[in-house]
Every structure is written in C-alpha cells, then in structure tokens.
Amino acid sequence: MKGVVLVGLLVVALAVATSAVRPGKPVVPAVFVLGDSTLDVGNNNHLPGKDVPRANVPFYGVDFPGGPMPTGRFSNGYNIADFIAKNLGFERSPLAYLVLKSRNYLIPSALTRGVSYASAGAGILDSTNAGNNIPLSKQLIYFASTKSEMEAAWGTHKVSTLLANSFFLLGFGSNDMFQTNPKTPADVAALYAVLVSNYSAAITDLYGMGARKFGIINVGPVGCVPGVRVLNATGACNDAMNRYAAGFAALVKSALADLAPKLPGFAYSLADSFAATQASFSNPQVLGFVSSDSACCGTGRLGAEGGTLCKRNDTLCADRDAYVFWDSVHSTQRAAELGAQGLFDGPAELTTPINFKQLAYKRY
C-alpha cells in the first residue's frame, strides 16, 4: 500500500510538471549550489588527476540544448540543479566555480545568477573519494572566498541582503554511503554521528556567512541504483544499503528540526528522496518510464557491467525519457525534471516543513 501511495504522490508531481515554470524573472537574486555529481555542472572537468570522475565525453550531454555536447553534467542533458534553477526563474543552474574562475567571471555571476561549487564524488567527509573531488569542506572555503570578493566589489550590506534572499541548494551524503562500510551497529551509530555533526556544522557555517534559505536534497535509496542492483543475481535492490541510507536521512531530518530554532531567520526545505525515488521504482509506467532498474547508457546486464559511468562505446537506449537512470548511478534528464518539479511545487509529502517554492518566496 505504501508504494501505491508514493506513486500517487509522483503522479501529482507529474501533472504539475506538465505546466512547469519557464525561465522568467527570477524569484531569488541568485542560486548557490553545493553538492555532489547529481548537482555538478562542470567543476570536475577542471580538476587534475586521472581518477577524477568527469562527464566530459559522449554520450553525456547527448540531449543538452544546443548540443549534443558533454558539459560536465552526469546526465544526458540537464540535471536536477538545472531544473530547480529553472523553476526559480533562471535559464539553468549557475555555472561551475572553476569554470567562472578560469573565465575571470566569478563575481559578475555571483552577483546576478550565483555559483555552483558541486563536485562529483564529493562527500560530507573529506575522506570520501579523497583527492578526486571538491569535498564539502573545500566547497565552503570556495564560497567564503567568493563572498569576500563579492563584498569588495559591491559592499557588505548589499551582499548581505543578496545572500539572505538567495537560494542555497545542497545535496550530500550519497557518496559517503557508497564509500563507507560499517560492520557493527556501534560502527554505524558512530559514523552517523560524525556525518550529521559535520553536515550540521557546514550548514551553520553557511548561515554564519549570510545564507538563510536552504533547499536540501536528502539521500535516497542508494541500494537501488543499477550499479548496486547488478551485484545481486536477481537484480534486486540492496535492502541493507537502503536501510543504512534511510537511517542517515532520518537523522538529517531530525538535526535540521533541532537546528532551526537556534538560528534566527533560518529557513529550509528538506527533500524526501526516498519518497520521490521509491515511487518511480514501484510503478515506473505510471510516470512514463519503461525502465527503473537499468542504465540507458551502459553495457551488459542492467547496463551496469561496464562500470559506473557512460562511455562513448556503450550501448545507448533509443528513448532517454523512458528511463529513470542515465548511467549506473545518475538519473536521466526526464527523471531529474520530474523530481525537481515535485520538490518545488508538488505534494507536501515530498518536502518538509515547506516546499522549495515556499522557501524561495520568503523575503529578508
């Protein structure tokens, strides 16, 4: 019955998405994005190292507007950061921090559109995929540096007002789930404590630097991505991984509720990725998908036997909009679009305590 209820929620989101917001006058002055590969729009393309995960080869970007061209997004087109930005009135996600730095355009963008610090492979812990991404701690450092340059260009008061009214989009935790393997309940509890403490401290740091509106995408059922399913002879989800992720997601929800009364003016919307994602797994056809367990771009069983990422010689599905997953971990453009619209303007059960739209329209 629970799966039926969740499908109903996403069906409502699908109906809303048919009249999705088009870029117009932005409802916030800027969007600042911190997170992992679900939000990355090109930072990792500018990181050195052979083991850095990059989406800079075909078939990434095969459906990107004006393409096909790989842009650093781990998608066939836009990712969820793009669609959230579109619903906020922007054309797409703000550009990647390292791209803006290379073009000497960081501050003009920060003052008018925002900046994306998101990096594929990043975690809450510095040790997660260490050396091959921009971890949360360093993304905070980059934002602090950006803020200082903004104040030098525009003045402290104006920047303070801009940041208070801007939308801060965060998405961390999945890579920490993938990379850690606690053996005992005590180990799990200890890891949860460190993850939640670090995440809460990071959010508090952003608040201290002027952020007030936080749209946070919680971790989802990481045990149901094709790259994990393929390890099971039956192709079923890894229930243990999902329980591990669900435990962390519940603690993040509790931590935010505890944090809110301690930070005057702090406002947040927490996205329930379990609710949104599990619905598409339960009955994908209702949402227009023919596949919710296989990668559109990949090789072998479930399109996930050739590794995590899509490669130029992989098999490509004919209808990308009919698949939930683009590669063995990341969603397709269509799945990202539906997910973003549900979080922005969908059923109340998908976000707490308010949705992304209500958060965006708060004024300071």
Side-chain angles (χ1 to χ4, degrees):
M1 179 60 70
K2 183 178 179 183
V4 173
V5 172
L6 292 177
V7 168
L9 296 179
L10 261 284
V11 169
V12 176
L14 176 59
V16 173
T18 60
S19 58
V21 174
R22 300 299 177 190
K25 183 179 180 180
V27 298
V28 294
V31 181
F32 295 90
V33 184
L34 297 89
D36 55 27
S37 56
T38 57
L39 304 175
D40 190 354
V41 293
N43 273 311
N44 275 30
N45 285 355
H46 294 263
L47 292 178
K50 64 180 179 63
D51 295 324
V52 172
R54 301 182 183 90
N56 60 349
V57 298
F59 293 104
Y60 287 104
V62 66
D63 298 309
F64 193 80
M69 60 178 175
T71 63
R73 291 165 172 82
F74 289 77
S75 169
N76 56 307
Y78 284 142
N79 65 21
I80 196 167
D82 291 301
F83 287 112
I84 289 171
K86 286 166 75 70
N87 278 291
L88 292 170
F90 295 92
E91 182 181 3
R92 58 175 70 105
S93 168
L95 291 174
Y97 171 81
L98 294 179
V99 171
L100 291 167
K101 288 287 283 187
S102 70
R103 298 178 183 177
N104 197 29
Y105 198 71
L106 175 63
I107 302 311
S109 179
L111 293 173
T112 57
R113 288 184 57 195
V115 181
S116 175
Y117 306 90
S119 170
I124 296 169
L125 303 178
D126 285 356
S127 57
T128 297
N129 299 312
N132 295 314
N133 62 77
I134 308 169
L136 172 57
S137 62
K138 194 163 187 178
Q139 292 184 37
L140 289 174
I141 291 170
Y142 284 161
F143 173 71
S145 174
T146 302
K147 182 197 173 192
S148 295
E149 291 187 53
M150 291 167 68
E151 290 175 337
W154 225 28
T156 302
H157 178 72
K158 290 177 70 174
V159 170
S160 176
T161 301
L162 181 146
L163 293 179
N165 287 286
S166 292
F167 196 99
F168 282 75
L169 176 62
L170 277 66
F172 287 97
S174 294
N175 289 312
D176 301 289
M177 299 293 100
F178 283 125
Q179 289 292 308
T180 53
N181 186 27
K183 302 296 185 183
T184 68
D187 290 341
V188 172
L191 182 60
Y192 281 163
V194 173
L195 287 170
V196 173
S197 175
N198 284 15
Y199 207 5
S200 297
I203 291 168
T204 303
D205 285 348
L206 284 169
Y207 173 89
M209 288 187 277
R212 291 295 181 270
K213 300 192 288 191
F214 294 80
I216 301 170
I217 301 176
N218 214 345
V219 295
V222 295
C224 288
V225 301
V228 173
R229 284 178 182 262
V230 75
L231 301 177
N232 188 323
T234 67
C237 296
N238 185 319
D239 291 336
M241 283 193 71
N242 285 343
R243 287 193 297 271
Y244 178 35
F248 173 67
L251 289 174
V252 169
K253 182 178 180 179
S254 177
L256 287 169
D258 290 343
L259 200 59
K262 301 173 185 176
L263 304 176
F266 174 79
Y268 73 95
S269 175
L270 179 65
D272 187 339
S273 297
F274 267 89
T277 310
Q278 290 283 29
S280 62
F281 295 155
S282 301
N283 194 345
Q285 290 78 17
V286 172
L287 301 174
F289 297 116
V290 299
S291 170
S292 64
D293 62 357
S294 301
C296 169
C297 181
T299 58
R301 193 166 65 96
L302 302 181
E305 291 185 328
T308 300
L309 302 181
C310 171
K311 305 175 189 66
R312 66 175 72 238
N313 294 323
D314 283 349
T315 301
L316 187 64
C317 69
D319 184 2
R320 272 84 72 180
D321 287 349
Y323 278 65
V324 172
F325 288 100
W326 164 243
D327 57 25
S328 68
V329 174
H330 305 100
S331 69
T332 58
Q333 175 175 257
R334 179 58 175 162
E337 181 181 17
L338 291 179
Q341 190 61 34
L343 302 180
F344 188 80
D345 204 18
E349 290 84 352
L350 296 183
T351 50
T352 188
I354 57 177
N355 64 31
F356 279 23
K357 182 178 181 178
Q358 292 167 321
L359 178 68
Y361 276 92
K362 283 186 171 289
R363 292 291 179 264
Y364 292 91

